[in-house]
């Protein structure tokens, strides 16, 4: 609080310091849901505008950089007003909204780096519209519902069903183990490099392995748009980056990522050993 020269606390600071009264209706946030979307859902449930809701519980967008997170007091006030656990509120993402533009002046469909949450997870909360979330980059598959929710997904209808391809979920668990053993930036860079190696391999020898073609067949039955060239066992330059092909080669990319990280570690220890000799 700030005190004026007469020693009195300003009424605005006094009101802000008081814990907000619980709202009549609460809504549970989805993990990593964008705060602008959650506040709009919360305001609609209580028949308020977002501005009225913000004034009521004194939740303000922090000044400065747009990607700055909530302050601890703001998180606590929002948790008190909604009755939601503090850890759920902490997992919300505060960042640029869908009306903000990137460094090139382009408007993002969901916001910077946001993508829709698993459509079935949203439906469990009674949400039929897309829910923009700031999911970690390595989140490719919804564990509960076995849907592909990778970074390239911009439409919930594109979240393909992977229940008949269990090795994809196992590959994501393997990638998560790599993140526990290595720095996140190192794993991300190595995974990108492994993906580029596999795409270059496909372009040099335009065929897929039988297991990858089997995955494409399953994806086609689940509604994936499979290019005609795949039916002739050929892949063109413009199809290597298609969603179906990225899903089909995902397990091999993760295995190559693991191999490159192992080789990187062995090379590092060899370098240390040679320095010590």
């Amino acid at each position: 609080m700030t005190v004026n020269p007469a020693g009195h606390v300003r009424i605005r600071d006094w009101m802000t310091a008081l814990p907000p009264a619980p709202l009549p209706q609460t809504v549970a946030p989805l993990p990593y849901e964008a705060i602008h979307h959650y506040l709009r859902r919360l305001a609609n449930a209580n028949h308020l505008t977002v501005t009225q809701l913000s004034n009521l519980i004194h939740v303000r967008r922090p000044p400065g950089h747009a990607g700055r997170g909530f302050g601890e007091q703001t998180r606590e006030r929002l948790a008190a007003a909604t009755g939601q656990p503090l850890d759920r509120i902490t997992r919300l993402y505060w960042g640029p909204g869908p009306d903000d533009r990137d460094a090139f002046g382009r408007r993002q469909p969901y916001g910077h780096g946001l993508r829709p949450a698993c459509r079935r997870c949203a439906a469990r909360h009674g949400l039929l519209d897309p829910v923009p979330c700031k999911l970690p980059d390595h989140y490719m598959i919804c564990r509960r519902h076995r849907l592909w929710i990778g970074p390239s997904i911009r439409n919930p209808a594109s979240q393909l069903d992977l229940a008949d391809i269990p090795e994809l979920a196992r590959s994501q668990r393997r990638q998560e183990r790599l993140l526990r053993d290595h720095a996140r930036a190192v794993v991300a860079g190595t995974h990108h490099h492994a993906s580029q190696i596999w795409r270059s391999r496909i372009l040099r020898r335009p065929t897929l392995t039988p297991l990858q073609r089997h995955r494409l067949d399953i994806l086609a039955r689940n509604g994936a748009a499979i290019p005609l060239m795949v039916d002739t066992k050929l892949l063109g330059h413009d199809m290597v980056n298609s969603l179906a092909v990225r899903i089909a080669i995902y397990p091999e990319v993760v295995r190559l990522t693991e191999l490159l990280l192992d080789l990187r570690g062995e090379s590092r220890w060899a370098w240390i050993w040679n320095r010590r000799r």
Side-chain angles (χ1 to χ4, degrees):
M1 293 185 188
T2 57
V3 180
N4 59 22
H8 298 149
V9 177
R10 290 186 171 87
I11 185 65
R12 178 182 295 274
D13 296 333
W14 176 74
M15 291 177 60
T16 305
L18 288 176
L23 294 168
Q25 299 292 332
T26 185
V27 292
L30 270 66
Y32 308 105
E33 181 179 358
I35 184 61
H36 67 267
H37 187 268
Y38 178 69
L39 289 180
R40 185 166 68 247
R41 291 204 293 123
L42 188 61
N44 291 339
N46 290 275
H47 306 286
L48 299 170
T49 65
V50 175
T51 301
Q52 291 172 334
L53 177 66
S54 299
N55 291 334
L56 188 63
I57 60 179
H58 296 281
V59 172
R60 290 289 187 273
R61 180 172 179 164
H65 183 60
R68 233 162 118 190
F70 270 145
E72 186 64 27
Q73 183 183 17
T74 306
R75 291 195 293 266
E76 292 175 353
R77 293 185 65 81
L78 187 58
T82 59
Q84 296 293 327
L86 182 59
D87 60 340
R88 289 185 181 178
I89 299 299
T90 302
R91 284 191 298 175
L92 288 167
Y93 169 72
W94 185 283
D99 293 331
D100 296 321
R101 297 177 181 270
D102 61 11
F104 301 97
R106 295 173 299 194
R107 181 168 294 172
Q108 304 297 310
Y110 290 100
H112 295 244
L114 302 185
R115 46 180 156 143
C118 168
R119 66 175 188 269
R120 293 175 182 168
C121 289
R124 290 179 65 245
H125 289 76
L127 304 174
L128 301 181
D129 294 329
V131 179
C133 295
K134 181 66 172 180
L135 299 172
D137 291 338
H138 68 277
Y139 274 31
M140 303 291 184
I141 301 166
C142 173
R143 289 184 179 180
R144 179 187 294 270
H145 300 108
R146 295 295 190 267
L147 292 181
W148 182 269
I149 56 172
S152 61
I153 296 296
R154 291 294 178 264
N155 185 353
S158 302
Q159 297 174 346
L160 297 175
D161 193 334
L162 309 175
D164 295 330
I165 317 177
E167 63 265 27
L168 293 176
R170 291 196 296 267
S171 297
Q172 178 168 277
R173 289 194 294 270
R174 178 177 295 179
Q175 188 173 0
E176 291 172 354
R177 287 196 298 269
L178 295 177
L179 289 169
R180 291 194 295 267
D181 298 335
H182 304 274
R184 184 175 298 272
V186 173
V187 176
T190 308
H191 181 85
H192 176 73
H193 183 53
S195 178
Q196 293 297 106
I197 291 175
W198 257 101
R199 294 177 189 178
S200 299
R201 175 185 180 276
I202 293 173
L203 289 175
R204 288 196 307 270
R205 190 178 62 184
T207 58
L208 295 176
T209 66
L211 185 55
Q212 291 169 346
R213 288 190 52 79
H214 176 66
R215 295 177 193 140
L216 280 179
D217 292 338
I218 295 176
L219 293 174
R221 291 198 299 267
N222 293 339
I226 306 298
L228 293 177
M229 294 187 69
V230 174
D231 294 335
T232 61
K233 300 184 180 181
L234 296 176
L235 287 173
H237 287 264
D238 56 340
M239 292 304 174
V240 172
N241 293 324
S242 65
L243 176 61
V245 173
R246 284 200 299 270
I247 296 176
I249 67 174
Y250 175 65
E252 285 75 23
V253 170
V254 174
R255 282 197 289 269
L256 182 57
T257 301
E258 186 175 22
L259 176 62
L260 292 176
L261 288 172
D262 290 341
L263 293 176
R264 180 180 181 272
E266 292 177 1
S267 300
R268 179 175 179 271
W269 284 112
W271 179 81
I272 293 174
W273 176 256
N274 291 332
R275 286 288 300 270
R276 293 179 63 182
R277 291 179 61 183

